[in-house]
Amino acid sequence: MVKKEKLLAFSLTKSYLLILSKILTFGNKNEKKYSFHFVFLSLNRIFAAEFQSEAMNLKIRIIERYDELPDVSDKSFFHSKEFFRIVAVTSGHHPFMVVAEREDGTVAAQMLAATRRHGSLIPPYLFSQGRVYGEGVYADDVDRDEVFGMMLKAITKRFKYSLCLYAEFSNISQKMFGYRHFRDEGFFPVSWQEVYNSLHLWPDDVNIDKRLMRHIKRGLNQGVTTRELDGDCDLQPCYKLLRSYHRLKFRTFLPPYRFFVELHNDPHAHFFLTEYAGKPIGACVCVYSDNKAYMWFAASKRMSHSRQHPASVVLYHAISAAKEAGCQQFYFMNAGLPFRKSRDRDFILKFDGKPVAKYRWFRFFPPLLNRFLSWLYRE
């Protein structure tokens, strides 16, 4: 019996036994442990053990050196060798590639995680953070949920040994993916609204805010231009704009300049710079992966050049460029904090973006702090 048929039989058997157990224990709550409910729990453990044994045949390994990486999938940029190398050469960053290997040495699943150091003199603080984008990449013949739980357990221990203040998982494909495993490892969810644009009908048949379109046209008529930075361009103007924009945003982390230099040399990355009178007033960094575009970093001089509308112009150009490159969706990786009112999120939604309710998972390694925040963000 193939694996899909076994999973279907397992699910149907569980449902049938659960119904029978509820019927036989109806009205006799004091004798549940002697009822068919006990049989259901026992058989449930037997069936679960069968499928868990297939996952147990996989060996979980954490790799910290680029030259020791096995042959892994390049389906997702955020879990690829290229991104591992970029993180490895960036100061204050340390990558970890978690792989699930079969007995013959082939990789069945992979997940790239990283620790990064945060610090500042004003205000003074210094701590490390564990960071993972997405749930990883999996082969078609593995149980994604069970293997993810095994890799999550391994990387959580590694984050703890690295003395991280907290760990964060974002951009999970489905809201409830890995819920049980996150809870088992002490993570707590924070409701997060993500935004994406479908590019199938962009820009002719999408409902872009009319006032926003007037702002874009007004900026273009005033001489605002946007260009993509090629390999020979100087990234200093773009990086200075990003750094000045994110300087006072504690929640948004901006990597060092070396990170952007290495990222710019990768074919998945695309940098856009908006200029007015020869001066940069807007910037945007996007990554194309698996027919999707991800807007990672963005900045603009929204206050000093309000009449030129740099944020609107650079974002419109970035979405249009992703459409021309063949991307099917455009995702905003930071669509604002999870507050009821968010200026950044409201602005993004004007581009006919579609809001999606998701979770971001956090775990603070000081136990009392994690317990308090878990209670504060309880559902």
Side-chain angles (χ1 to χ4, degrees):
M1 187 181 294
V2 298
K3 185 172 181 180
K4 290 185 179 180
E5 294 174 343
K6 291 170 68 178
L7 288 172
L8 178 60
F10 175 43
S11 178
L12 292 176
T13 304
K14 285 180 62 178
S15 302
Y16 177 69
L17 292 176
L18 181 60
I19 294 172
L20 284 179
S21 66
K22 290 184 178 297
I23 293 175
L24 293 176
T25 57
F26 179 76
N28 194 11
K29 297 181 179 179
N30 295 328
E31 298 182 3
K32 279 189 177 182
K33 62 180 179 179
Y34 303 109
S35 68
F36 198 78
H37 185 72
F38 177 77
V39 179
F40 163 73
L41 293 177
S42 300
L43 291 177
N44 184 30
R45 293 191 186 100
I46 295 174
F47 280 115
E50 178 184 355
F51 293 98
Q52 189 176 8
S53 64
E54 297 183 10
M56 289 302 179
N57 291 330
L58 299 175
K59 177 184 176 182
I60 304 299
R61 191 158 61 102
I62 298 180
I63 304 169
E64 303 182 34
R65 293 176 56 90
Y66 180 80
D67 54 4
E68 297 178 358
L69 288 175
D71 187 15
V72 296
S73 172
D74 58 353
K75 182 179 180 181
S76 172
F77 170 78
F78 296 102
H79 301 277
S80 64
K81 282 186 175 182
E82 292 83 0
F83 191 39
F84 186 101
R85 183 192 60 81
I86 293 172
V87 175
V89 299
T90 304
S91 61
H93 289 60
H94 191 82
F96 303 97
M97 181 69 81
V98 188
V99 295
E101 296 177 321
R102 301 183 181 92
E103 294 179 352
D104 59 359
T106 59
V107 176
Q110 67 197 60
M111 180 171 64
L112 178 58
T115 58
R116 56 193 191 187
R117 187 171 61 247
H118 298 244
S120 175
L121 294 177
I122 304 176
Y125 65 88
L126 180 65
F127 64 90
S128 295
Q129 173 203 7
R131 194 69 169 88
V132 182
Y133 296 98
E135 65 269 24
V137 180
Y138 302 83
D140 296 333
D141 60 342
V142 299
D143 189 336
R144 291 167 55 92
D145 184 69
E146 290 299 330
V147 177
F148 173 76
M150 297 168 63
M151 295 196 297
L152 176 64
K153 185 176 182 179
I155 194 58
T156 302
K157 289 182 179 180
R158 193 64 185 84
F159 284 153
K160 183 177 180 180
Y161 295 153
S162 299
L163 301 179
C164 291
L165 175 63
Y166 71 98
E168 177 183 354
F169 281 73
S170 67
N171 303 99
I172 304 296
S173 59
Q174 298 177 357
K175 181 178 182 180
M176 301 304 294
F177 180 84
Y179 187 96
R180 173 172 59 91
H181 302 295
F182 277 120
R183 286 295 194 181
D184 291 343
E185 295 301 323
F187 285 78
F188 60 90
V190 176
S191 297
W192 213 279
Q193 192 176 65
E194 298 182 0
V195 181
Y196 79 96
N197 284 72
S198 179
L199 302 182
H200 297 286
L201 302 177
W202 178 274
D204 299 327
D205 297 329
V206 294
N207 188 24
I208 303 178
D209 185 77
K210 294 182 179 179
R211 183 180 179 184
L212 179 67
M213 286 302 303
R214 290 199 299 268
H215 290 169
I216 296 173
K217 293 179 180 179
R218 184 182 304 169
L220 295 177
N221 291 335
Q222 293 180 9
V224 177
T225 60
T226 302
R227 59 188 176 92
E228 181 174 354
L229 302 180
D230 55 29
D232 298 330
C233 291
D234 185 15
L235 295 182
Q236 283 290 350
C238 179
Y239 181 73
K240 287 182 179 179
L241 183 59
L242 291 171
R243 187 176 59 180
S244 62
Y245 181 82
H246 293 282
R247 180 172 296 169
L248 299 178
K249 294 180 178 293
F250 178 77
R251 180 65 186 85
T252 304
F253 174 75
L254 190 70
Y257 179 69
R258 176 69 182 277
F259 176 88
F260 289 94
V261 173
E262 298 294 335
L263 183 65
H264 186 231
N265 294 330
D266 191 278
H268 294 88
H270 299 266
F271 287 62
F272 301 96
L273 186 66
T274 297
E275 296 174 315
Y276 175 69
K279 298 181 179 180
I281 60 174
C284 179
V285 179
C286 298
V287 171
Y288 298 169
S289 176
D290 194 23
N291 293 326
K292 299 180 181 67
Y294 299 88
M295 193 195 76
W296 203 348
F297 303 98
S300 65
K301 295 183 178 180
R302 187 180 297 180
M303 301 298 294
S304 59
H305 291 77
S306 58
R307 294 186 177 183
Q308 286 74 41
H309 307 285
S312 303
V313 174
V314 68
L315 186 53
Y316 182 85
H317 186 92
I319 299 176
S320 300
K323 168 66 175 181
E324 295 177 1
C327 297
Q328 299 178 358
Q329 288 92 25
F330 190 93
Y331 289 84
F332 299 88
M333 298 185 65
N334 295 292
L337 292 173
F339 300 137
R340 181 171 298 180
K341 292 184 179 180
S342 173
R343 186 182 68 174
D344 293 339
R345 186 173 63 245
D346 294 341
F347 170 71
I348 291 172
L349 290 173
K350 292 180 180 180
F351 288 87
D352 195 31
K354 299 173 177 58
V356 180
K358 292 287 189 69
Y359 282 145
R360 282 199 180 189
W361 291 91
F362 296 85
R363 175 178 170 176
F364 284 75
F365 289 96
L368 293 178
L369 180 59
N370 190 70
R371 193 176 305 170
F372 170 73
L373 292 174
S374 180
W375 171 82
L376 185 64
Y377 287 98
R378 67 191 184 278
E379 297 177 296

